Amino acid sequence: ELLKPYGKMLTDDLKARPGTTAFLLIAKAKPAGALPVVRKLMAAPRWPKELNARVAVAALGDNGVEKEFIDAFRTAADPKEKARLAKALGWIGTDAALQALAYALRTDLVIEMPRVSRRSVRLDVLAALCYNFPDQKVLYSTVKSSFKPPSCNLRVYGCSSSCSELIAISSFS
């Protein structure tokens, strides 16, 4: 919502200076006039396989590209790949992408580094949902409990520190 007033400016910037970060801003803001610009850029040889360009076109309503991301996410058996795709679906942020993420909160996949760490892919899914719902206090409220998890250095994209706290707590549930 905060980016909506800048939609035309973001679209003009993408048109003048296309770049991977500009595509993500377009995906987040979803400005009405950006789809033709993104489609034109996708026709150039540089952008069709670029992740952020594909995220932008999916976020702006290209159902085919969106479906590719969702299908790949749903069928991913490798935990690292599922986590990577969760992040992309969070960036896409369409209703279908968010529904796929919500369903995946039940996944039992774990990213494991033997003798180092184990981390549930659910944390990546929750971070992707946090990116889309920064104003939903339920995602950020702390759990009332006498249990205090050890501090951790958990990096979460697009979320406040209180969201990181919730994610750290949820990993011990």
Side-chain angles (χ1 to χ4, degrees), residues 100-111:
L101 286 168
Y103 184 77
L105 280 170
R106 299 178 183 104
T107 186
D108 59 354
L109 291 177
V110 173
I111 298 172

Side-chain angles (χ1 to χ4, degrees), residues 6 21-22 35 39 65 81 112 137-138 144 152 155 170:
Y6 303 100
T21 304
L35 186 57
R39 284 208 171 129
V65 176
E81 179 65 8
E112 186 170 357
K137 292 180 182 179
V138 68
K144 303 288 185 210
C152 66
R155 220 183 123 152
S170 70

